């Protein structure tokens, strides 16, 4: 994944400076409505979005993957991309100390994953692993 770098800092609303407009546009080049699952998985947007989330750049993950989600037709792929985005949102809300939002977003993630038509792998990712991450995050904020 040497074709892009993490941003200089993670944007957290109210805590850090927002990135310049258009910073992530180069990562979205090539996204189109007729992409196959293989094209989506190998796209720069998907690879960057997943790495951003893995590296704690949650707002940035959402910013990049939203363009891919908008180009994805209804179905398991769209639900999965949206679930990844919503989990990144939940992780951002956790960082912002907003437990109610975390719990609500984790429930949305689980609902979206329920709609993934029984698939175990989507876009090279394990569906149940994402569910487990959402459940663990929700449990972490259960008593707050």
């Amino acid at each position: 994944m040497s074709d892009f770098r993490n941003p200089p800092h993670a944007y957290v609303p109210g805590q850090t400076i927002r990135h310049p407009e258009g910073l992530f546009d180069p990562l979205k080049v090539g996204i189109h409505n007729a992409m196959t699952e293989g094209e989506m998985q190998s796209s720069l947007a998907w690879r960057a979005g997943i790495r951003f989330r893995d590296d704690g750049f949650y707002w940035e993950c959402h910013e990049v993957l939203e363009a891919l989600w908008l180009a994805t037709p209804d179905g398991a792929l769209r639900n999965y991309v949206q679930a990844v985005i919503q989990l990144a949102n939940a992780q951002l809300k956790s960082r912002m100390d907003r437990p109610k939002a975390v719990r609500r977003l984790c429930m949305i993630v689980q609902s979206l994953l329920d709609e993934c038509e029984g698939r175990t792998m989507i876009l090279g990712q394990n569906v149940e692993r994402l569910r487990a991450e959402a459940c663990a995050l929700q449990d972490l904020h259960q008593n707050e």
Side-chain angles (χ1 to χ4, degrees):
M1 286 198 212
S2 60
D3 43 358
F4 66 93
R5 294 183 180 165
N6 284 342
H9 65 275
Y11 174 59
V12 179
Q15 297 178 23
T16 62
I17 298 170
R18 187 172 170 145
H19 301 293
E21 194 67 35
L23 179 66
F24 302 107
D25 289 352
L27 300 176
K28 302 173 192 177
V29 171
I31 294 175
H32 58 86
N33 290 337
M35 292 178 81
T36 66
E37 184 170 351
E39 289 172 324
M40 288 173 63
Q41 184 177 338
S42 65
S43 73
L44 192 54
W46 178 251
R47 291 181 295 122
I50 292 299
R51 187 166 98 193
F52 288 166
R53 193 180 75 79
D54 289 347
D55 290 351
F57 291 84
Y58 306 123
W59 182 90
E60 296 78 3
C61 169
H62 180 166
E63 180 69 17
V64 172
L65 291 186
E66 184 174 45
L68 194 58
W69 173 75
L70 289 170
T72 306
D74 288 340
L77 287 177
R78 184 176 176 94
N79 290 334
Y80 190 78
V81 173
Q82 188 176 9
V84 171
I85 291 168
Q86 294 300 353
L87 183 54
N89 286 339
Q91 291 168 307
L92 179 61
K93 297 302 188 227
S94 179
R95 184 174 285 165
M96 296 169 67
D97 196 27
R98 296 191 49 207
K100 284 173 121 173
V102 172
R103 292 190 303 267
R104 180 182 59 79
L105 288 163
C106 286
M107 288 179 7
I108 291 170
V109 170
Q110 292 173 41
S111 177
L112 287 164
L113 294 176
D114 288 345
E115 299 297 319
C116 285
E117 303 163 5
R119 296 204 32 205
T120 57
M121 297 291 288
I122 297 178
L123 296 168
Q125 303 286 310
N126 185 297
V127 173
E128 291 308 311
R129 183 180 143 240
L130 195 72
R131 184 186 306 278
E133 287 183 56
C135 288
L137 185 60
Q138 185 175 12
D139 289 348
L140 184 65
H141 293 281
Q142 197 57 46
N143 295 319
E144 297 178 15

